[in-house]
Amino acid sequence: MDFNQIRYFLALADTLNFTRAAEQCFVSQPALTQAIKRLETELGGELIRRDGRENALTDLGKSLRAHFEQIDRTRHLVRATANAVNAGEIAELNIGLMCTIGPGVLAPMLDAFHVAHPLVSIVLHDVAPDAISDLLLTGVLDGAFCARHGPPHPQLSYVELFEEPLVIAFPEGHTFSQMEAVSLRDIAKQQYVERLHCEFREEVLEYYKDLDLELEVAFRSQREDWIQGMVRNGVGVCCIPRYSLLRPELDHRPIVDPALSRKVAFATAEQSEQLPALKLLAEMARAHDWPVYASERQKGPAA
């Protein structure tokens, strides 16, 4: 038994005419007739009673018609599902999200992708910056939103998304609220909350060393939410990516002398074959209307 035999039988059951059934199935009448005969031989009985021009389904044909219709529906569903998977319309993507990138700036793009491709499931994984390349190259992650710092990895491809300034965050009523911008010298005079995953940590510490200054660090953490909670509670100030500020946002000012910024990208492993759904996500990320960093910047470390 094959799908064509079932398809021919269903057309014959609808028309009760071999000629019209053959036309519906785009085959010759002899080919359809022989296929029905082979099906009847396999099932051990007649499916249609041939009586001149008056054809009718037999009891066996009537009994099996609903089952054949279910098989045909399943055939169409299997084919449609295969086409959807091959087109990237059905998939599950494991996407890394670097722990220092705030969710607010990415959420609108991810929501738009879900609206456009509702059958693609995205699982977001919180990942540390130094683990992203290995996770992509080993296939644990399909892609990752990351902040590039330094030269690109030679085995990764990047879709540049936006540039993000680092700002100084501080609690309500802090003296920095009276300033339009804050320098690293100004920050050195304050109690500091240190982000251990900050991409600029080593550069900033080296900068202070060259100036013979030292940060008064009151608290260190890898947890971005804890860092912001400490700042909000008045423990100290902190350098943080602008779009990582959680709502209600902390008060903040741009950093100058030197200004600091990083470039955020969508990274994937370079490979000949890429999941269709991953291509769709990369295309939407590339086309999205990201925020534009247009502030005046002085020369300094940049991602």
Side-chain angles (χ1 to χ4, degrees), residues 82-98:
N83 290 338
V85 170
N86 290 333
E89 297 172 6
I90 299 178
E92 179 178 278
L93 296 177
N94 287 285
I95 302 299
L97 178 59
M98 201 169 85

Side-chain angles (χ1 to χ4, degrees), residues 8-65:
Y8 298 163
F9 167 75
L10 291 175
L12 186 57
D14 286 339
T15 63
L16 295 177
N17 184 287
F18 282 85
T19 301
R20 290 202 299 272
E23 291 172 351
Q24 278 188 14
C25 297
F26 301 101
V27 295
S28 68
Q29 180 178 330
L32 183 137
T33 300
Q34 290 302 315
I36 295 298
K37 286 181 178 179
R38 288 195 300 270
L39 183 59
E40 290 175 326
T41 298
E42 184 171 350
L43 296 174
E46 289 188 342
L47 297 173
I48 188 164
R49 184 175 296 107
R50 302 157 179 83
D51 185 14
R53 294 185 177 181
E54 297 296 327
N55 299 317
L57 291 179
T58 63
D59 289 342
L60 179 61
K62 293 176 182 177
S63 299
L64 294 180
R65 182 175 184 176

